[in-house]
Amino acid sequence: MQEDPLRFGLIGTGRIGQVHAASIAANPDTTLAWVADPFVGGAEAVASRHGGRATDSPERLLASGELDAVVVASPTPTHVALIEACLDAGLPVLCEKPIDLDIAKVDALRPKVAASQVPVALGFNQRFDPAFAETRARVAAGEIGEPEHLSIVSRDPGPPPAEYIAVSGGIFRDMTIHDFDMARFFLGDIVEVSATGAQLFDEGAREHGDFDSVVVVLRAASGAIATITNSRRSRIGYDQRLEVVGAEGSLTVSNAPSSLVSVSTARAVEARRPYVEFFLERYATAYAQELAEFVELARGGKSTSPTFEDGRAALVIADAARRSAADGAVVRIDG
């Protein structure tokens, strides 16, 4: 007997909120019941497109009695309070990263999450990209032996607006945090961080004391090393690559092409179009699979959804990277 679709509430209707709304509407196991955003016009637009009732009040959404689960895609400073409110309402919650920019607030909520039977998942969608997930499964199966080195390249096509950088928490907590989670996904606990950053081209980064380009070296508890290269600019499109090297070989994930057609002329051979333009294209399948795994979690089944502890661990690494880049020193992580 097929179960009824889970009734979802969505809090936040910005770019990521709209992605989640589309995923909920497209999944036969889910339906969008309520949408909340203080900018009620955004909530009304999403509800009109994908279904559900619109409100400017997350409290009204949570108190409706018409939900089975919630996606939190609101600004980062609201995450802790909304996760706690979902726990109080007994509603499984999938929250976008980071949990908060202040690790003290995350740690204050940590005991309540641990004691609760209500599922909490974090939005590290890249774990669910088919190519990355396949690579991780093949590493876990021992195909290349024990991992020794992980290399991650992540470059955005262009920098975000300066006003976004001002509230983002900086490149390590905003952008690199996905790569920190991927490093843990492949290598396990991280115990040492060394990071350096530069202000090469983005005036917004200079204005707000952030970096537009960073390189990070991580050491795992196993002894394996991860290197992460980030940039806010890539003229070739959204640059997302990964390589894992082990004792018996390596596994490589290349960039996603925007076209499979190449042209050869007297000027160039096998010339192709740039890579896909942005993360919404590159990770569309990953967002859909992220939701499917959260549905399993919300129903009480086995799930690979990243946990609150995964979100906390990635933030701890991000904070260590910020300290390392500021002080020019290696930072140890004790737990």
Side-chain angles (χ1 to χ4, degrees), residues 39-167:
F39 173 60
V40 72
E44 290 170 345
V46 167
S48 174
R49 192 176 308 120
H50 298 296
R53 300 176 64 180
T55 178
D56 63 357
S57 169
E59 293 77 15
R60 185 183 179 200
L61 176 151
L62 293 171
S64 68
E66 300 171 355
L67 300 177
D68 302 304
V70 176
V71 173
V72 172
S74 50
T76 298
T78 67
H79 288 179
V80 165
L82 289 172
I83 292 173
E84 185 168 20
C86 288
L87 296 179
D88 291 340
L91 292 170
V93 55
L94 168 61
C95 182
E96 271 301 328
K97 60 79 198 169
I99 302 171
D100 197 84
L101 299 180
D102 184 350
I103 192 66
K105 292 181 180 179
V106 175
D107 285 344
L109 180 61
R110 192 181 187 192
K112 186 167 186 173
V113 173
S116 176
Q117 298 301 307
V118 179
V120 177
L122 260 289
F124 289 121
N125 67 290
Q126 292 185 14
R127 292 191 182 204
F128 302 105
D129 173 73
F132 291 159
E134 176 188 342
T135 302
R136 171 63 169 75
R138 291 169 72 171
V139 169
E143 184 171 340
I144 61 169
E146 192 68 22
E148 297 171 352
H149 180 226
L150 171 69
S151 176
I152 299 172
V153 174
S154 177
R155 298 185 177 103
D156 284 349
E163 54 269 25
Y164 174 81
I165 292 176
V167 299

Side-chain angles (χ1 to χ4, degrees), residues 84-307:
E84 185 168 20
C86 288
L87 296 179
D88 291 340
L91 292 170
V93 55
L94 168 61
C95 182
E96 271 301 328
K97 60 79 198 169
I99 302 171
D100 197 84
L101 299 180
D102 184 350
I103 192 66
K105 292 181 180 179
V106 175
D107 285 344
L109 180 61
R110 192 181 187 192
K112 186 167 186 173
V113 173
S116 176
Q117 298 301 307
V118 179
V120 177
L122 260 289
F124 289 121
N125 67 290
Q126 292 185 14
R127 292 191 182 204
F128 302 105
D129 173 73
F132 291 159
E134 176 188 342
T135 302
R136 171 63 169 75
R138 291 169 72 171
V139 169
E143 184 171 340
I144 61 169
E146 192 68 22
E148 297 171 352
H149 180 226
L150 171 69
S151 176
I152 299 172
V153 174
S154 177
R155 298 185 177 103
D156 284 349
E163 54 269 25
Y164 174 81
I165 292 176
V167 299
S168 69
I171 191 170
F172 294 117
R173 292 187 292 195
D174 170 53
M175 180 179 178
T176 324
I177 197 166
H178 277 291
D179 304 317
F180 294 145
D181 180 69
M182 289 297 288
R184 293 186 66 253
F185 187 46
F186 277 89
L187 302 181
D189 289 339
I190 302 300
V191 298
E192 189 176 279
V193 181
S194 177
T196 186
Q199 298 168 337
L200 299 177
F201 52 82
D202 181 34
E203 289 300 327
R206 290 192 185 96
E207 179 184 351
H208 296 291
D210 196 13
F211 303 116
D212 53 46
S213 307
V214 300
V215 175
V216 184
V217 178
L218 307 175
R219 187 180 302 277
S222 66
I225 294 173
T227 55
I228 299 169
T229 303
N230 286 161
S231 175
R232 294 287 199 183
R233 181 167 70 186
S234 172
R235 295 301 190 197
I236 62 174
Y238 193 39
D239 190 6
Q240 299 284 284
R241 290 173 279 147
L242 181 148
E243 181 183 47
V244 193
V245 178
E248 304 298 330
S250 64
L251 290 161
T252 302
V253 178
S254 301
N255 271 317
S258 60
S259 172
L260 297 177
V261 178
S262 65
V263 59
S264 297
T265 69
R267 295 190 301 273
V269 176
E270 294 187 359
R272 297 181 182 272
R273 295 178 60 83
Y275 298 114
V276 294
E277 179 60 23
F278 207 39
F279 75 94
L280 297 179
E281 301 165 77
R282 175 63 179 82
Y283 291 116
T285 302
Y287 279 109
Q289 185 58 34
E290 175 186 54
L291 178 68
E293 282 296 313
F294 177 63
V295 169
E296 286 298 310
L297 180 68
R299 290 195 191 278
K302 292 186 65 174
S303 172
T304 59
S305 292
T307 66

